[in-house]
């Protein structure tokens, strides 16, 4: 029966790893937690059993309306009876969904966690013949996950009030701590626990320090992928529009996608991408979840994602057909600052610190010289035995280094002489001899350090600041000003050296030759 549904309804002849085991757990009415990395085919694990239980209803609790809409549309197009209850529906549409439910016309019903927690929905559950309940993106349950949602945490009522209904929880990313928390929070009863491998041997992982806004680097990277499909992730909605406009000016086909677009335009943009009518989507993280497109040849991040989990999920949208695909991460210390500032609005102090640690962990990964695949799999507690030569670090031979101690001391001295009360832009203006109003009003043009770095480009100074943050010679003050650490003071006194990759400064277009390290 299961094989027949797989072939006739979904068009596959065989299962991917852990799909069959997940399906068997569900059809045997057992609770389940499956951790299956992006691209592993999680949706099939519960959509197929939903058809196996003919005449019964499968409920899928999912966090994003955009994802719910994508899933329902795809199922409907495949001839599977599915619908949704979301805040987008008016009263007449909600009534029509209820009619279908009472007449047993649906195999799957998608709802948000907020809807699931409503008293009216709990009452509905008592009237329906439910085969099992799916908790999709189950990492949202855990306080230790990267996208904690309080309404997910309340879903323990499902096992408490409906203990006879099995629960199948799915996520692409979870450490053992998060997995244990999911099981406990949902009150799962002796669940089957399955975990796939996080190693993707067809993904090439490259990480580079961003020069300026990174757009020239992006355009140069895309020259290797003419007429290929890919996703470019940006931090803000505004940036999606600006980067897409930039790419079109350079001769690339690109469209912007973000949650602020009207539903019709979002669907149209997504449809064009899936059908290869447009090659590049520039998007916030709202794009990609549940997208059924196997030939994504590249994924580019224009800045640091907020966690290793987010990074892994997003690069997982590349190469689902098993062919070689490349993932480029461009980053800067400023990414950490921007995201940390946003996290300051989090009221729970413990969770705020936890979220900040996540972005700092990813920054450490970006600066690491360890094999990228070893670092990623190791984060998810999976051991990778061999260096696989599928990342920038493994492909590097001898890394030429520059001694930037002299320049670092110039910068640290300027910070110290201005009372450690100013940000990066002002410090660099002083070094480069700017005559702007702020420099003159503070009489910083009278300092001995004024103009001593005028032959070094602004971009190179930005990279030196990044390096000093990386080695913890600098930290941010309460008002984002640059402040010396004890190690920074040691560098300033000539008691420590500072070096950096030569290649980074070459790309920055520095105006002077910094000293090569012996």
């Amino acid at each position: 029966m299961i094989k027949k549904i797989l072939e006739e309804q979904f068009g596959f002849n065989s299962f991917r790893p852990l799909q069959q085991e997940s399906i068997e757990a569900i059809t045997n009415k057992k609770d389940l937690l499956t951790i299956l990395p992006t691209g592993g085919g999680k949706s099939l694990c519960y959509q197929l059993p939903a058809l196996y239980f003919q005449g019964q209803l499968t409920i899928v609790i999912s966090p994003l309306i955009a994802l719910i809409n994508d899933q329902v549309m795809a199922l409907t197009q495949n001839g599977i009876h599915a619908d949704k209850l979301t805040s987008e529906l008016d009263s007449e549409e909600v009534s029509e969904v209820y009619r279908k439910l009472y007449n047993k016309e649906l195999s799957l019903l998608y709802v948000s966690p907020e809807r699931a927690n409503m008293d009216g929905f709990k009452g509905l559950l008592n009237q329906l013949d439910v085969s099992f309940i799916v908790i999709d993106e189950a990492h949202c349950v855990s306080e230790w996950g990267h996208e904690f949602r309080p309404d997910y945490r309340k879903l323990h009522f499902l096992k408490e009030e409906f203990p006879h209904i099995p629960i199948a929880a799915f996520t692409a990313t979870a450490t053992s701590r998060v997995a244990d928390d999911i099981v406990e929070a949902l009150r799962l009863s002796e669940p089957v626990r399955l975990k796939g491998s996080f190693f993707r041997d067809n993904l090439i992982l490259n990480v580079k320090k961003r020069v300026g806004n990174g757009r020239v680097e992006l355009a140069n990277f895309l020259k290797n992928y003419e007429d290929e499909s890919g996703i470019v992730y940006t931090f803000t909605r505004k940036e999606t529009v600006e980067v897409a406009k930039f790419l079109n000016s350079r001769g690339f086909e690109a469209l912007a996608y973000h949650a602020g677009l009207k539903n019709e335009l979002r669907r149209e943009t997504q449809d064009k991408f899936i059908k290869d009518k447009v090659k590049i989507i520039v998007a916030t993280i709202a794009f990609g979840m549940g997208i059924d497109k196997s030939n994504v040849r590249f994924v580019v991040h224009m800045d640091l994602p907020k966690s290793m989990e987010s990074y892994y999920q997003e690069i997982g949208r590349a190469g689902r057909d098993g062919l070689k695909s490349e993932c480029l991460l461009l980053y800067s210390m400023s990414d950490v600052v921007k995201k940390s500032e946003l996290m300051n609005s989090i009221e729970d102090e413990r969770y705020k610190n936890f979220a900040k640690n996540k972005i700092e962990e990813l920054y450490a990964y970006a600066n690491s010289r360890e094999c990228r695949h070893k670092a990623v799999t190791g984060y998810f507690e999976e051991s990778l035995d061999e260096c696989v030569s599928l990342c920038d670090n493994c492909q590097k031979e001898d890394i030429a280094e520059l001694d930037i101690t002299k320049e670092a001391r110039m910068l640290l001295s300027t910070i110290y002489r201005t009372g450690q009360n100013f940000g990066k832009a002002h410090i660099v203006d002083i070094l480069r001899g700017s005559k702007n109003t702020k420099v003159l009003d503070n009489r910083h043009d009278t300092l001995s350090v004024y103009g001593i770095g005028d032959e070094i480009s602004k971009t190179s100074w930005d990279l030196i600041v990044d390096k000093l943050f990386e080695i913890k010679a600098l930290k941010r003050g309460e008002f984002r000003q640059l402040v010396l650490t004890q190690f920074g003071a040691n560098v300033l006194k000539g008691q420590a050296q500072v070096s950096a990759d030569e290649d980074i400064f070459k790309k920055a277009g520095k105006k002077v030759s910094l000293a090569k390290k012996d």
Side-chain angles (χ1 to χ4, degrees), residues 59 66 104-105 129 170 218 246 263 280 295 307 312 323 326 350 363-364 380 384 420 430 466 518:
I59 292 175
K104 294 191 173 184
E105 295 177 13
D129 185 7
F170 293 89
L218 173 63
F246 166 79
N263 291 337
I280 302 170
N295 65 332
S307 67
Y312 185 81
L323 300 180
E326 189 170 356
R350 185 183 65 160
Y363 183 70
F380 293 107
L384 191 63
Q420 304 185 80
I430 296 170
D466 268 5
D518 293 333

Side-chain angles (χ1 to χ4, degrees), residues 382-515:
E382 179 182 347
S383 176
L384 191 63
D385 295 331
E386 297 180 3
C387 178
V388 293
S389 296
L390 288 170
C391 73
D392 55 327
N393 284 340
C394 292
Q395 292 169 355
K396 284 178 182 174
E397 295 178 1
D398 294 326
I399 302 172
E401 289 196 333
L402 296 171
D403 184 346
I404 61 170
T405 306
K406 176 184 173 184
E407 292 73 22
R409 292 181 68 193
M410 287 182 188
L411 193 139
L412 293 168
S413 178
T414 306
I415 295 169
Y416 182 77
R417 289 171 186 273
T418 54
Q420 304 185 80
N421 289 319
F422 296 89
K424 178 178 69 174
H426 185 68
I427 297 300
V428 172
D429 280 345
I430 296 170
L431 285 163
R432 287 176 48 78
S434 171
K435 296 187 183 301
N436 70 28
T437 303
K438 188 173 180 180
V439 171
L440 299 179
D441 286 350
N442 284 282
R443 300 193 65 201
H444 288 160
D445 56 325
T446 65
L447 296 173
S448 60
V449 291
Y450 179 74
I452 62 172
D454 64 331
E455 292 186 337
I456 298 175
S457 71
K458 181 182 181 300
T459 304
S460 288
W461 277 122
D462 288 347
L463 291 172
I464 292 169
V465 172
D466 268 5
K467 186 65 183 182
L468 292 176
F469 271 109
E470 178 188 328
I471 63 175
K472 293 183 168 53
L474 283 179
K475 63 181 180 180
R476 296 274 178 185
E478 183 181 357
F479 302 104
R480 293 189 64 189
Q481 73 271 31
L482 303 184
V483 177
L484 275 64
T485 64
Q486 183 56 55
F487 181 67
N490 293 342
V491 173
L492 179 57
K493 294 172 186 175
Q495 297 173 356
Q497 303 293 304
V498 183
S499 60
D501 291 359
E502 180 182 18
D503 185 52
I504 295 171
F505 283 88
K506 280 183 178 178
K507 289 174 182 172
K510 63 180 181 356
K511 294 181 180 178
V512 297
S513 295
L514 305 178

Side-chain angles (χ1 to χ4, degrees), residues 8-54:
E8 293 183 0
Q9 197 67 58
F10 295 96
F12 299 121
N13 295 317
S14 61
F15 289 108
R16 295 181 189 178
L18 299 186
Q19 284 185 325
Q20 186 167 356
E21 294 89 332
S22 298
I23 290 167
E24 287 175 353
I26 293 172
T27 55
N28 287 326
K29 294 288 185 175
K30 295 180 179 179
D31 285 349
L32 169 71
L33 171 59
T34 293
I35 302 168
L36 199 57
T38 303
K42 292 188 296 298
S43 298
L44 181 78
C45 295
Y46 60 82
Q47 290 174 357
L48 191 153
L51 302 183
Y52 174 85
F53 291 112
Q54 294 181 6

Side-chain angles (χ1 to χ4, degrees), residues 225-491:
Y225 291 96
E226 292 184 9
D227 298 322
E228 298 282 9
S229 292
I231 304 171
V232 178
Y233 285 109
T234 65
F235 182 43
T236 66
R237 297 176 181 182
K238 181 181 177 183
E239 287 169 332
T240 65
V241 176
E242 291 175 348
V243 173
K245 184 177 180 181
F246 166 79
L247 289 178
N248 282 298
S249 73
R250 292 297 184 97
F252 299 100
E253 294 180 8
L255 288 176
Y257 182 104
H258 58 75
L261 298 176
K262 291 183 178 179
N263 291 337
E264 185 178 342
L265 181 54
R266 281 212 315 270
R267 282 194 292 268
E268 182 183 323
T269 300
Q270 181 175 301
D271 190 58
K272 284 181 178 179
F273 183 62
I274 291 172
K275 294 178 179 177
D276 285 324
K277 292 180 180 179
V278 65
K279 295 298 182 183
I280 302 170
I281 293 293
V282 185
T284 57
I285 59 169
F287 185 81
M289 297 180 73
I291 298 298
D292 185 18
K293 185 172 174 66
S294 64
N295 65 332
V296 174
R297 289 280 72 82
F298 61 86
V299 168
V300 179
H301 285 89
M302 297 301 290
D303 56 14
L304 284 174
K306 61 184 178 181
S307 67
M308 180 65 82
E309 288 91 342
S310 297
Y311 172 66
Y312 185 81
Q313 275 195 322
E314 288 153 21
I315 63 173
R317 287 154 195 164
R320 294 189 180 188
D321 54 8
L323 300 180
K324 282 283 187 291
S325 303
E326 189 170 356
C327 305
L328 173 64
L329 169 59
L330 301 175
Y331 76 101
S332 163
M333 181 63 197
S334 62
D335 302 341
V336 179
V337 175
K338 285 189 298 184
K339 288 182 169 61
S340 293
E341 287 178 345
L342 284 177
M343 293 165 189
N344 286 333
S345 61
I346 299 173
E347 293 182 5
D348 186 323
E349 200 65 30
R350 185 183 65 160
Y351 191 71
K352 180 195 298 183
N353 292 332
F354 173 73
K356 287 185 176 182
N357 286 338
K358 287 282 186 184
I359 181 68
E360 288 170 4
E361 285 173 343
L362 195 57
Y363 183 70
Y365 160 81
N367 282 295
S368 170
R369 291 185 179 175
E370 180 187 11
C371 168
R372 302 290 182 193
H373 283 280
K374 279 188 177 181
V376 171
T377 55
Y379 180 88
F380 293 107
E381 300 151 336
E382 179 182 347
S383 176
L384 191 63
D385 295 331
E386 297 180 3
C387 178
V388 293
S389 296
L390 288 170
C391 73
D392 55 327
N393 284 340
C394 292
Q395 292 169 355
K396 284 178 182 174
E397 295 178 1
D398 294 326
I399 302 172
E401 289 196 333
L402 296 171
D403 184 346
I404 61 170
T405 306
K406 176 184 173 184
E407 292 73 22
R409 292 181 68 193
M410 287 182 188
L411 193 139
L412 293 168
S413 178
T414 306
I415 295 169
Y416 182 77
R417 289 171 186 273
T418 54
Q420 304 185 80
N421 289 319
F422 296 89
K424 178 178 69 174
H426 185 68
I427 297 300
V428 172
D429 280 345
I430 296 170
L431 285 163
R432 287 176 48 78
S434 171
K435 296 187 183 301
N436 70 28
T437 303
K438 188 173 180 180
V439 171
L440 299 179
D441 286 350
N442 284 282
R443 300 193 65 201
H444 288 160
D445 56 325
T446 65
L447 296 173
S448 60
V449 291
Y450 179 74
I452 62 172
D454 64 331
E455 292 186 337
I456 298 175
S457 71
K458 181 182 181 300
T459 304
S460 288
W461 277 122
D462 288 347
L463 291 172
I464 292 169
V465 172
D466 268 5
K467 186 65 183 182
L468 292 176
F469 271 109
E470 178 188 328
I471 63 175
K472 293 183 168 53
L474 283 179
K475 63 181 180 180
R476 296 274 178 185
E478 183 181 357
F479 302 104
R480 293 189 64 189
Q481 73 271 31
L482 303 184
V483 177
L484 275 64
T485 64
Q486 183 56 55
F487 181 67
N490 293 342
V491 173

